[in-house]
Coordinates of all heavy atoms in Angstrom, one line a residue:
M1 N 27.2 104.8 -7.7 CA 26.2 103.9 -8.2 C 26.5 103.3 -9.5 O 26.6 102.1 -9.7 CB 24.9 104.7 -8.2 CG 23.7 103.9 -8.6 SD 22.2 104.9 -8.3 CE 21.1 103.6 -8.1
F2 N 26.6 104.1 -10.6 CA 27.0 103.7 -11.9 C 28.5 104.0 -12.1 O 28.9 105.1 -11.9 CB 26.1 104.3 -13.0 CG 24.7 103.9 -12.9 CD1 23.7 104.8 -12.4 CD2 24.3 102.6 -13.2 CE1 22.4 104.4 -12.3 CE2 23.0 102.2 -13.2 CZ 22.0 103.1 -12.7
N3 N 29.2 103.0 -12.6 CA 30.6 103.3 -12.8 C 30.9 104.2 -14.0 O 31.8 105.0 -14.0 CB 31.4 102.0 -13.0 CG 31.4 101.1 -11.8 OD1 31.2 101.7 -10.7 ND2 31.5 99.8 -11.9
N4 N 30.1 104.1 -15.0 CA 30.2 104.9 -16.2 C 28.9 105.2 -16.9 O 27.9 104.6 -16.6 CB 31.3 104.4 -17.1 CG 30.9 103.0 -17.6 OD1 29.8 102.6 -17.6 ND2 31.9 102.2 -18.0
L5 N 28.9 106.0 -17.9 CA 27.7 106.4 -18.6 C 27.1 105.2 -19.4 O 25.9 105.0 -19.5 CB 28.0 107.6 -19.5 CG 26.8 108.2 -20.2 CD1 25.8 108.7 -19.2 CD2 27.2 109.3 -21.1
A6 N 28.0 104.3 -20.0 CA 27.5 103.2 -20.7 C 26.7 102.2 -19.9 O 25.7 101.7 -20.3 CB 28.7 102.5 -21.4
Q7 N 27.2 102.0 -18.7 CA 26.5 101.1 -17.8 C 25.1 101.7 -17.4 O 24.1 101.0 -17.4 CB 27.3 100.9 -16.5 CG 26.6 100.0 -15.5 CD 26.5 98.5 -16.0 OE1 27.4 98.1 -16.7 NE2 25.5 97.9 -15.6
F8 N 25.0 103.0 -17.3 CA 23.8 103.7 -17.0 C 22.8 103.5 -18.1 O 21.6 103.1 -17.9 CB 24.0 105.1 -16.7 CG 22.7 105.9 -16.5 CD1 22.0 105.8 -15.3 CD2 22.3 106.8 -17.5 CE1 20.8 106.5 -15.2 CE2 21.1 107.5 -17.4 CZ 20.4 107.3 -16.2
R9 N 23.3 103.7 -19.3 CA 22.4 103.5 -20.5 C 21.9 102.1 -20.6 O 20.8 101.9 -21.0 CB 23.1 104.0 -21.8 CG 23.3 105.5 -21.8 CD 23.9 105.9 -23.1 NE 24.1 107.3 -23.1 CZ 25.0 107.9 -23.9 NH1 25.8 107.2 -24.6 NH2 25.1 109.2 -23.9
Y10 N 22.8 101.1 -20.4 CA 22.4 99.7 -20.5 C 21.3 99.4 -19.5 O 20.3 98.7 -19.8 CB 23.6 98.8 -20.4 CG 23.3 97.4 -20.4 CD1 23.0 96.7 -21.6 CD2 23.3 96.6 -19.2 CE1 22.7 95.4 -21.6 CE2 23.1 95.3 -19.2 CZ 22.7 94.7 -20.4 OH 22.4 93.3 -20.4
D11 N 21.5 99.8 -18.3 CA 20.6 99.5 -17.2 C 19.2 100.2 -17.5 O 18.2 99.7 -17.2 CB 21.1 100.0 -15.8 CG 22.2 99.0 -15.4 OD1 22.3 97.9 -15.9 OD2 23.0 99.5 -14.5
R12 N 19.3 101.4 -18.0 CA 18.1 102.1 -18.3 C 17.3 101.4 -19.5 O 16.0 101.3 -19.4 CB 18.4 103.5 -18.8 CG 17.2 104.4 -18.9 CD 17.7 105.9 -19.0 NE 16.8 106.5 -20.0 CZ 17.0 107.4 -20.8 NH1 18.2 107.9 -20.8 NH2 16.1 107.9 -21.6
Q13 N 18.0 100.9 -20.5 CA 17.3 100.1 -21.5 C 16.6 98.9 -21.0 O 15.5 98.5 -21.5 CB 18.3 99.8 -22.6 CG 18.7 100.9 -23.5 CD 19.8 100.5 -24.5 OE1 20.3 99.4 -24.4 NE2 20.2 101.4 -25.3
L14 N 17.2 98.2 -20.0 CA 16.6 97.0 -19.5 C 15.3 97.3 -18.7 O 14.4 96.5 -18.7 CB 17.6 96.3 -18.6 CG 18.8 95.7 -19.2 CD1 19.7 95.1 -18.2 CD2 18.4 94.6 -20.2
T15 N 15.2 98.5 -18.1 CA 14.1 98.8 -17.3 C 13.0 99.5 -18.1 O 11.8 99.6 -17.6 CB 14.5 99.7 -16.1 OG1 15.0 100.9 -16.6 CG2 15.4 99.0 -15.2
Q16 N 13.2 99.9 -19.3 CA 12.2 100.6 -20.1 C 11.2 99.6 -20.7 O 11.7 98.6 -21.2 CB 12.8 101.5 -21.2 CG 13.5 102.7 -20.7 CD 14.0 103.5 -21.8 OE1 14.2 103.0 -22.9 NE2 14.3 104.8 -21.6
M17 N 10.0 99.9 -20.6 CA 8.9 99.0 -21.1 C 8.3 99.8 -22.3 O 8.4 101.0 -22.3 CB 7.9 98.8 -20.1 CG 8.3 97.9 -18.9 SD 8.8 96.3 -19.4 CE 7.2 95.6 -19.8
P18 N 7.8 99.1 -23.3 CA 7.1 99.8 -24.4 C 5.9 100.5 -23.8 O 5.4 100.2 -22.7 CB 6.7 98.7 -25.3 CG 7.0 97.4 -24.6 CD 7.8 97.7 -23.4
E19 N 5.4 101.5 -24.6 CA 4.3 102.3 -24.2 C 3.1 101.4 -23.9 O 2.3 101.5 -23.0 CB 3.9 103.3 -25.2 CG 4.9 104.4 -25.3 CD 4.5 105.4 -26.4 OE1 3.4 105.5 -26.7 OE2 5.4 106.2 -26.8
R20 N 2.8 100.5 -24.9 CA 1.8 99.4 -24.7 C 2.4 98.1 -24.9 O 3.3 97.9 -25.7 CB 0.7 99.6 -25.7 CG -0.2 100.9 -25.5 CD -1.2 101.0 -26.5 NE -0.6 101.4 -27.8 CZ -1.2 101.4 -28.9 NH1 -2.4 101.0 -29.1 NH2 -0.5 101.8 -30.0
S21 N 1.9 97.1 -24.2 CA 2.6 95.8 -24.2 C 2.3 95.1 -25.6 O 2.9 94.1 -25.9 CB 2.1 94.9 -23.1 OG 0.7 94.7 -23.2
T22 N 1.3 95.6 -26.4 CA 1.0 94.9 -27.6 C 1.7 95.6 -28.8 O 1.4 95.2 -29.9 CB -0.5 94.9 -27.9 OG1 -1.0 96.3 -27.8 CG2 -1.2 94.1 -26.8
D23 N 2.5 96.6 -28.6 CA 3.1 97.3 -29.7 C 4.0 96.4 -30.6 O 4.0 96.6 -31.8 CB 4.0 98.4 -29.2 CG 3.2 99.6 -28.7 OD1 2.0 99.7 -29.1 OD2 3.8 100.5 -28.1
Y24 N 4.6 95.4 -30.0 CA 5.4 94.6 -30.8 C 4.6 93.5 -31.5 O 5.1 92.8 -32.4 CB 6.5 93.9 -29.9 CG 6.0 93.0 -28.9 CD1 5.9 91.6 -29.1 CD2 5.5 93.4 -27.7 CE1 5.4 90.7 -28.2 CE2 5.0 92.5 -26.7 CZ 5.0 91.2 -27.0 OH 4.5 90.3 -26.1
L25 N 3.4 93.3 -31.1 CA 2.6 92.2 -31.8 C 1.9 92.6 -33.1 O 1.7 91.8 -33.9 CB 1.5 91.8 -30.8 CG 1.9 91.0 -29.6 CD1 0.7 90.7 -28.7 CD2 2.5 89.7 -30.0
M26 N 1.6 93.9 -33.3 CA 0.9 94.3 -34.4 C 1.5 94.0 -35.8 O 0.9 93.4 -36.6 CB 0.6 95.8 -34.3 CG -0.4 96.2 -33.2 SD -1.9 95.3 -33.3 CE -2.6 96.0 -34.8
P27 N 2.8 94.3 -36.0 CA 3.4 93.9 -37.3 C 3.4 92.4 -37.5 O 3.2 91.9 -38.6 CB 4.8 94.4 -37.2 CG 4.8 95.4 -36.1 CD 3.7 95.0 -35.2
N28 N 3.6 91.6 -36.4 CA 3.6 90.2 -36.5 C 2.2 89.7 -36.9 O 2.1 88.8 -37.7 CB 4.1 89.6 -35.2 CG 4.5 88.2 -35.3 OD1 4.7 87.7 -36.4 ND2 4.7 87.5 -34.2
M29 N 1.2 90.2 -36.3 CA -0.2 89.8 -36.6 C -0.6 90.2 -38.0 O -1.2 89.4 -38.7 CB -1.2 90.4 -35.6 CG -1.0 89.9 -34.2 SD -2.0 90.7 -32.9 CE -3.6 90.9 -33.7
L30 N -0.2 91.3 -38.4 CA -0.5 91.7 -39.8 C 0.2 90.8 -40.8 O -0.4 90.4 -41.8 CB 0.0 93.2 -40.0 CG -0.3 93.8 -41.4 CD1 -1.8 93.9 -41.6 CD2 0.3 95.2 -41.5
F31 N 1.4 90.4 -40.6 CA 2.1 89.5 -41.4 C 1.4 88.2 -41.5 O 1.2 87.6 -42.6 CB 3.6 89.3 -41.0 CG 4.3 88.2 -41.7 CD1 4.8 88.4 -43.0 CD2 4.5 87.0 -41.1 CE1 5.4 87.4 -43.7 CE2 5.1 86.0 -41.8 CZ 5.6 86.2 -43.1
H32 N 1.0 87.6 -40.4 CA 0.3 86.4 -40.4 C -1.1 86.5 -41.1 O -1.5 85.5 -41.8 CB 0.1 85.9 -38.9 CG 1.3 85.3 -38.4 ND1 2.2 86.0 -37.6 CD2 1.8 84.0 -38.5 CE1 3.2 85.3 -37.3 NE2 3.0 84.0 -37.8
L33 N -1.8 87.6 -41.0 CA -3.0 87.8 -41.7 C -2.8 87.8 -43.2 O -3.6 87.2 -43.9 CB -3.7 89.1 -41.2 CG -5.0 89.4 -41.8 CD1 -6.0 88.4 -41.4 CD2 -5.5 90.8 -41.4
I34 N -1.8 88.5 -43.6 CA -1.5 88.5 -45.1 C -1.1 87.1 -45.6 O -1.6 86.7 -46.6 CB -0.3 89.5 -45.3 CG1 -0.8 90.9 -45.1 CG2 0.2 89.4 -46.8 CD1 0.3 92.0 -45.1
V35 N -0.4 86.4 -44.8 CA 0.0 85.0 -45.2 C -1.3 84.1 -45.3 O -1.4 83.3 -46.2 CB 1.0 84.4 -44.3 CG1 1.2 82.9 -44.5 CG2 2.4 85.1 -44.5
L36 N -2.2 84.3 -44.3 CA -3.4 83.5 -44.3 C -4.3 83.8 -45.5 O -4.8 82.9 -46.2 CB -4.2 83.8 -43.0 CG -5.5 83.0 -42.8 CD1 -5.2 81.5 -42.8 CD2 -6.2 83.5 -41.6
V37 N -4.4 85.1 -45.9 CA -5.2 85.5 -47.0 C -4.6 84.9 -48.3 O -5.3 84.4 -49.2 CB -5.3 87.0 -47.1 CG1 -5.9 87.5 -48.4 CG2 -6.2 87.5 -45.9
I38 N -3.3 85.0 -48.4 CA -2.6 84.4 -49.6 C -2.8 82.9 -49.7 O -3.1 82.4 -50.7 CB -1.1 84.8 -49.6 CG1 -0.9 86.3 -49.9 CG2 -0.4 84.0 -50.6 CD1 0.5 86.8 -49.7
F39 N -2.7 82.2 -48.6 CA -2.9 80.8 -48.5 C -4.4 80.4 -48.9 O -4.6 79.5 -49.7 CB -2.6 80.3 -47.1 CG -2.8 78.8 -47.0 CD1 -1.9 77.9 -47.5 CD2 -3.8 78.3 -46.2 CE1 -2.0 76.6 -47.4 CE2 -4.0 76.9 -46.1 CZ -3.1 76.0 -46.7
I40 N -5.3 81.1 -48.4 CA -6.7 80.9 -48.8 C -7.0 81.2 -50.2 O -7.7 80.4 -50.9 CB -7.7 81.7 -47.9 CG1 -7.6 81.2 -46.4 CG2 -9.1 81.7 -48.4 CD1 -8.4 82.0 -45.4
G41 N -6.3 82.2 -50.8 CA -6.4 82.5 -52.2 C -5.9 81.4 -53.1 O -6.5 81.0 -54.1
I42 N -4.7 80.8 -52.7 CA -4.1 79.7 -53.4 C -5.0 78.5 -53.4 O -5.2 77.8 -54.4 CB -2.7 79.4 -52.8 CG1 -1.8 80.5 -53.2 CG2 -2.2 78.1 -53.4 CD1 -0.4 80.4 -52.5
L43 N -5.6 78.2 -52.2 CA -6.5 77.1 -52.1 C -7.8 77.3 -53.0 O -8.2 76.3 -53.6 CB -7.0 76.9 -50.7 CG -5.9 76.3 -49.7 CD1 -6.5 76.2 -48.3 CD2 -5.5 74.9 -50.2
Y44 N -8.3 78.5 -53.1 CA -9.4 78.8 -53.9 C -9.1 78.6 -55.4 O -9.9 78.0 -56.1 CB -9.9 80.2 -53.7 CG -11.1 80.6 -54.5 CD1 -12.3 80.2 -54.2 CD2 -10.9 81.5 -55.6 CE1 -13.4 80.6 -55.0 CE2 -11.9 81.8 -56.4 CZ -13.2 81.4 -56.1 OH -14.3 81.7 -56.9
V45 N -7.9 79.0 -55.8 CA -7.5 78.9 -57.2 C -7.4 77.4 -57.5 O -7.8 76.9 -58.6 CB -6.2 79.6 -57.5 CG1 -5.6 79.2 -58.8 CG2 -6.4 81.1 -57.4
I46 N -6.8 76.6 -56.7 CA -6.6 75.2 -56.9 C -8.0 74.5 -57.0 O -8.2 73.7 -57.9 CB -5.8 74.5 -55.8 CG1 -4.3 75.0 -55.9 CG2 -5.8 73.0 -55.8 CD1 -3.4 74.6 -54.7
Y47 N -8.9 74.9 -56.1 CA -10.3 74.3 -56.1 C -10.9 74.6 -57.4 O -11.5 73.8 -58.1 CB -11.1 74.9 -54.9 CG -12.5 74.6 -55.0 CD1 -13.0 73.3 -54.7 CD2 -13.5 75.5 -55.4 CE1 -14.3 73.0 -54.8 CE2 -14.8 75.2 -55.5 CZ -15.2 74.0 -55.2 OH -16.6 73.7 -55.2
K48 N -10.8 75.9 -57.9 CA -11.5 76.3 -59.2 C -10.9 75.5 -60.3 O -11.6 75.1 -61.3 CB -11.4 77.8 -59.4 CG -12.4 78.6 -58.6 CD -13.8 78.2 -59.0 CE -14.8 79.0 -58.4 NZ -16.1 78.7 -58.7
L49 N -9.6 75.3 -60.3 CA -8.9 74.6 -61.4 C -9.4 73.1 -61.4 O -9.6 72.5 -62.5 CB -7.4 74.6 -61.3 CG -6.8 76.0 -61.6 CD1 -5.3 76.0 -61.3 CD2 -7.0 76.4 -63.1
V50 N -9.5 72.5 -60.3 CA -10.0 71.1 -60.2 C -11.4 71.0 -60.7 O -11.7 70.1 -61.5 CB -9.8 70.6 -58.8 CG1 -10.5 69.3 -58.6 CG2 -8.3 70.4 -58.4
V51 N -12.3 71.9 -60.3 CA -13.7 71.9 -60.7 C -13.8 72.1 -62.2 O -14.5 71.4 -62.9 CB -14.5 72.9 -59.9 CG1 -15.9 73.1 -60.5 CG2 -14.6 72.5 -58.4
R52 N -13.0 73.0 -62.7 CA -13.1 73.3 -64.2 C -12.6 72.1 -64.9 O -13.1 71.7 -66.0 CB -12.3 74.5 -64.5 CG -12.5 74.9 -66.0 CD -11.7 76.2 -66.3 NE -10.3 75.8 -66.5 CZ -9.4 76.7 -66.8 NH1 -9.7 77.9 -66.9 NH2 -8.2 76.3 -67.0
H53 N -11.5 71.4 -64.4 CA -11.0 70.3 -65.1 C -12.0 69.1 -65.1 O -12.1 68.4 -66.1 CB -9.7 69.8 -64.4 CG -9.1 68.6 -65.0 ND1 -8.5 68.6 -66.3 CD2 -9.0 67.3 -64.5 CE1 -8.1 67.4 -66.5 NE2 -8.3 66.6 -65.5
Q54 N -12.7 69.0 -64.0 CA -13.7 67.9 -64.0 C -14.9 68.2 -65.0 O -15.4 67.3 -65.6 CB -14.3 67.8 -62.6 CG -13.4 67.1 -61.6 CD -13.9 67.1 -60.2 OE1 -14.9 67.7 -59.9 NE2 -13.2 66.4 -59.3
N55 N -15.2 69.5 -65.1 CA -16.3 69.8 -66.0 C -15.8 69.6 -67.5 O -16.6 69.2 -68.3 CB -16.7 71.3 -65.8 CG -17.5 71.5 -64.6 OD1 -18.0 70.5 -64.0 ND2 -17.6 72.7 -64.1
L56 N -14.6 69.9 -67.8 CA -14.1 69.7 -69.1 C -13.9 68.2 -69.5 O -14.0 67.9 -70.7 CB -12.7 70.4 -69.3 CG -12.7 71.9 -69.2 CD1 -11.3 72.5 -69.3 CD2 -13.6 72.5 -70.3
T57 N -13.6 67.4 -68.5 CA -13.4 66.0 -68.8 C -14.7 65.2 -68.7 O -14.7 64.0 -68.9 CB -12.4 65.4 -67.9 OG1 -12.8 65.5 -66.6 CG2 -11.0 66.0 -68.1
H58 N -15.8 65.8 -68.5 CA -17.1 65.1 -68.3 C -17.5 64.5 -69.7 O -17.5 65.2 -70.7 CB -18.2 66.1 -67.9 CG -19.5 65.5 -67.7 ND1 -19.8 64.6 -66.7 CD2 -20.6 65.6 -68.4 CE1 -21.0 64.2 -66.8 NE2 -21.6 64.8 -67.8
V59 N -17.7 63.3 -69.7 CA -18.0 62.5 -70.9 C -19.4 62.9 -71.3 O -20.4 62.9 -70.5 CB -17.9 61.0 -70.7 CG1 -18.3 60.3 -72.0 CG2 -16.5 60.7 -70.2
S60 N -19.6 63.2 -72.6 CA -20.9 63.6 -73.1 C -21.8 62.4 -73.1 O -21.4 61.2 -73.2 CB -20.9 64.2 -74.5 OG -20.4 63.2 -75.4
R61 N -23.1 62.6 -72.8 CA -24.1 61.5 -72.7 C -24.5 61.0 -74.1 O -24.4 61.7 -75.1 CB -25.3 62.0 -72.0 CG -25.0 62.5 -70.6 CD -26.2 62.8 -69.8 NE -27.1 63.7 -70.5 CZ -28.4 64.0 -70.2 NH1 -28.8 63.4 -69.1 NH2 -29.1 64.8 -70.9
D62 N -24.9 59.8 -74.1 CA -25.4 59.1 -75.3 C -26.7 59.8 -75.8 O -27.6 60.0 -75.0 CB -25.6 57.6 -75.0 CG -26.0 56.8 -76.2 OD1 -25.5 57.2 -77.3 OD2 -26.7 55.8 -76.1
P63 N -26.8 60.1 -77.1 CA -28.0 60.7 -77.6 C -29.3 59.9 -77.3 O -30.3 60.5 -77.1 CB -27.7 60.9 -79.1 CG -26.3 60.9 -79.2 CD -25.8 60.0 -78.1
L64 N -29.1 58.6 -77.4 CA -30.3 57.7 -77.1 C -30.8 57.9 -75.7 O -32.0 57.9 -75.4 CB -29.9 56.3 -77.4 CG -31.1 55.3 -77.4 CD1 -32.2 55.7 -78.3 CD2 -30.6 53.9 -77.7
D65 N -29.8 58.0 -74.7 CA -30.2 58.2 -73.3 C -30.9 59.5 -73.2 O -31.9 59.6 -72.4 CB -29.0 58.2 -72.4 CG -28.4 56.8 -72.3 OD1 -29.1 55.8 -72.6 OD2 -27.2 56.7 -72.0
I66 N -30.5 60.5 -73.9 CA -31.1 61.9 -73.8 C -32.5 61.8 -74.3 O -33.5 62.3 -73.7 CB -30.3 62.9 -74.6 CG1 -28.9 63.1 -73.9 CG2 -31.1 64.2 -74.6 CD1 -28.0 64.0 -74.7
A67 N -32.7 61.0 -75.5 CA -34.1 60.9 -76.0 C -35.0 60.1 -75.1 O -36.2 60.5 -74.9 CB -34.0 60.2 -77.4
K68 N -34.4 59.1 -74.4 CA -35.2 58.3 -73.4 C -35.7 59.2 -72.3 O -36.8 59.1 -71.8 CB -34.5 57.1 -73.0 CG -34.3 56.0 -74.0 CD -33.5 54.9 -73.5 CE -33.3 53.8 -74.5 NZ -32.5 52.7 -74.0
E69 N -34.7 60.1 -71.8 CA -35.1 61.0 -70.7 C -36.2 61.9 -71.1 O -37.1 62.2 -70.4 CB -33.8 61.8 -70.3 CG -33.0 61.1 -69.3 CD -31.8 62.1 -68.9 OE1 -32.0 63.3 -68.9 OE2 -30.8 61.5 -68.6
R70 N -36.1 62.5 -72.4 CA -37.1 63.4 -72.8 C -38.4 62.7 -73.0 O -39.5 63.3 -72.7 CB -36.7 64.0 -74.2 CG -35.5 64.9 -74.0 CD -35.2 65.6 -75.4 NE -36.3 66.4 -75.8 CZ -36.5 66.7 -77.1 NH1 -35.6 66.4 -78.0 NH2 -37.5 67.5 -77.4
Y71 N -38.4 61.4 -73.4 CA -39.7 60.6 -73.5 C -40.3 60.4 -72.0 O -41.5 60.6 -71.8 CB -39.4 59.3 -74.1 CG -40.6 58.4 -74.2 CD1 -41.8 58.7 -74.9 CD2 -40.7 57.2 -73.4 CE1 -42.9 57.9 -75.0 CE2 -41.8 56.4 -73.4 CZ -42.9 56.8 -74.2 OH -44.0 55.9 -74.2
A72 N -39.4 60.1 -71.1 CA -39.8 59.9 -69.7 C -40.4 61.2 -69.1 O -41.4 61.1 -68.3 CB -38.7 59.4 -68.9
K73 N -39.9 62.3 -69.5 CA -40.4 63.6 -69.0 C -41.7 64.0 -69.7 O -42.4 64.9 -69.3 CB -39.4 64.7 -69.2 CG -38.2 64.5 -68.2 CD -37.2 65.7 -68.5 CE -36.0 65.5 -67.7 NZ -35.0 66.5 -67.9
G74 N -42.0 63.4 -70.9 CA -43.2 63.7 -71.6 C -42.9 64.8 -72.7 O -43.9 65.4 -73.2
E75 N -41.7 65.1 -72.9 CA -41.3 66.1 -73.9 C -41.5 65.6 -75.3 O -41.8 66.5 -76.2 CB -39.9 66.6 -73.7 CG -39.7 67.3 -72.4 CD -38.2 67.7 -72.1 OE1 -37.4 67.4 -73.0 OE2 -37.9 68.2 -71.1
I76 N -41.4 64.4 -75.6 CA -41.6 63.8 -76.9 C -42.5 62.6 -76.8 O -42.7 62.0 -75.7 CB -40.2 63.4 -77.6 CG1 -39.5 62.3 -76.7 CG2 -39.4 64.6 -77.8 CD1 -38.3 61.8 -77.4
T77 N -43.1 62.3 -77.9 CA -44.1 61.1 -77.9 C -43.3 59.8 -78.2 O -42.1 59.8 -78.6 CB -45.1 61.3 -79.0 OG1 -44.5 61.4 -80.3 CG2 -45.9 62.6 -78.8
K78 N -44.1 58.7 -78.1 CA -43.5 57.4 -78.4 C -43.0 57.3 -79.9 O -42.0 56.7 -80.2 CB -44.5 56.3 -78.0 CG -43.9 54.9 -78.1 CD -44.9 53.9 -77.6 CE -44.2 52.6 -77.5 NZ -45.1 51.6 -76.9
D79 N -43.8 57.9 -80.8 CA -43.5 57.8 -82.2 C -42.2 58.6 -82.5 O -41.3 58.2 -83.2 CB -44.6 58.4 -83.0 CG -45.9 57.6 -83.0 OD1 -45.7 56.3 -82.8 OD2 -47.0 58.1 -83.1
E80 N -42.1 59.8 -81.8 CA -40.8 60.6 -82.0 C -39.6 59.8 -81.4 O -38.5 59.8 -82.0 CB -41.0 61.9 -81.3 CG -42.0 62.8 -82.0 CD -42.2 64.1 -81.2 OE1 -42.2 64.0 -79.9 OE2 -42.5 65.2 -81.8
L81 N -39.8 59.1 -80.3 CA -38.7 58.3 -79.7 C -38.3 57.2 -80.7 O -37.1 57.0 -80.9 CB -39.1 57.7 -78.4 CG -38.1 56.9 -77.7 CD1 -36.8 57.7 -77.4 CD2 -38.7 56.2 -76.5
S82 N -39.3 56.5 -81.3 CA -38.9 55.5 -82.2 C -38.2 56.0 -83.5 O -37.3 55.4 -84.0 CB -40.2 54.7 -82.6 OG -41.1 55.5 -83.2
D83 N -38.7 57.2 -83.9 CA -38.0 57.8 -85.0 C -36.5 58.2 -84.7 O -35.6 58.0 -85.5 CB -38.7 59.1 -85.5 CG -40.1 58.8 -86.1 OD1 -40.3 57.7 -86.6 OD2 -40.9 59.8 -86.2
I84 N -36.3 58.7 -83.5 CA -34.9 59.0 -83.0 C -34.1 57.7 -83.0 O -32.9 57.7 -83.4 CB -35.0 59.7 -81.7 CG1 -35.6 61.1 -81.9 CG2 -33.6 59.8 -81.1 CD1 -35.9 61.8 -80.6
K85 N -34.7 56.7 -82.5 CA -34.0 55.4 -82.4 C -33.6 54.9 -83.8 O -32.4 54.5 -84.0 CB -34.8 54.3 -81.7 CG -34.9 54.5 -80.2 CD -35.7 53.3 -79.6 CE -35.9 53.4 -78.1 NZ -36.7 52.3 -77.6
K86 N -34.5 55.0 -84.7 CA -34.2 54.6 -86.1 C -33.0 55.4 -86.7 O -32.1 54.9 -87.3 CB -35.4 54.7 -87.0 CG -36.4 53.7 -86.7 CD -37.7 53.9 -87.6 CE -38.8 53.0 -87.2 NZ -40.0 53.3 -87.9
E87 N -33.1 56.7 -86.5 CA -32.0 57.6 -87.0 C -30.7 57.3 -86.4 O -29.6 57.4 -87.0 CB -32.4 59.1 -86.8 CG -33.6 59.5 -87.7 CD -34.0 61.0 -87.4 OE1 -33.1 61.7 -86.8 OE2 -35.1 61.3 -87.8
L88 N -30.7 57.0 -85.1 CA -29.4 56.8 -84.4 C -28.8 55.5 -84.7 O -27.6 55.3 -84.7 CB -29.6 56.9 -82.9 CG -29.9 58.4 -82.4 CD1 -30.2 58.3 -80.9 CD2 -28.7 59.3 -82.7
K89 N -29.6 54.5 -85.1 CA -29.1 53.1 -85.4 C -28.4 53.1 -86.7 O -27.6 52.2 -87.0 CB -30.2 52.1 -85.3 CG -30.9 51.9 -84.0 CD -29.9 51.4 -83.0 CE -30.6 51.2 -81.6 NZ -29.8 50.8 -80.6
V90 N -28.7 54.1 -87.6 CA -28.2 54.1 -89.0 C -26.7 54.5 -89.0 O -26.0 54.8 -88.3 CB -29.0 55.1 -89.8 CG1 -28.3 55.3 -91.2 CG2 -30.4 54.6 -90.0

């Protein structure tokens, strides 16, 4: 049947199946999960850097506009608004 022992071992290896058919998938799935987590982390860091950069480059508002908003909300009176306008025009 088999000419020699090497041929027997080779044929036996071909017919042997793993204990479970998913045994070879687990390390591969774990690697892909780790890569996915790293990729999502990199995207999160980039997002945070962009948002922080936008906040730092935000141009400050004009003080007169702030005073007008406060007047519109009722936080200051018309006289206080006119005083602020006089001070800012100087």
Side-chain angles (χ1 to χ4, degrees):
M1 182 171 205
F2 294 106
N3 295 335
N4 58 26
L5 186 59
Q7 180 66 32
F8 173 75
R9 288 183 182 157
Y10 176 74
D11 289 341
R12 191 169 141 212
Q13 286 175 355
L14 290 177
T15 59
Q16 284 181 343
M17 295 295 290
E19 291 179 20
R20 289 181 286 167
S21 61
T22 59
D23 283 347
Y24 67 94
L25 289 177
M26 292 306 290
N28 198 13
M29 290 172 49
L30 183 62
F31 172 75
H32 283 93
L33 181 65
I34 292 170
V35 169
L36 180 64
V37 168
I38 290 171
F39 181 71
I40 290 173
I42 290 171
L43 288 178
Y44 178 76
V45 168
I46 290 172
Y47 171 76
K48 282 297 187 180
L49 289 174
V50 168
V51 168
R52 189 177 81 179
H53 178 69
Q54 288 176 351
N55 289 340
L56 292 177
T57 59
H58 181 70
V59 179
S60 63
R61 298 185 311 167
D62 183 32
L64 186 58
D65 291 336
I66 295 171
K68 287 179 183 178
E69 274 185 30
R70 290 184 63 201
Y71 175 68
K73 291 178 183 178
E75 294 176 0
I76 59 175
T77 63
K78 189 173 185 176
D79 294 331
E80 291 173 327
L81 178 63
S82 62
D83 290 341
I84 292 171
K85 283 181 181 180
K86 287 178 189 175
E87 289 178 17
L88 292 176
K89 296 296 180 186
V90 174

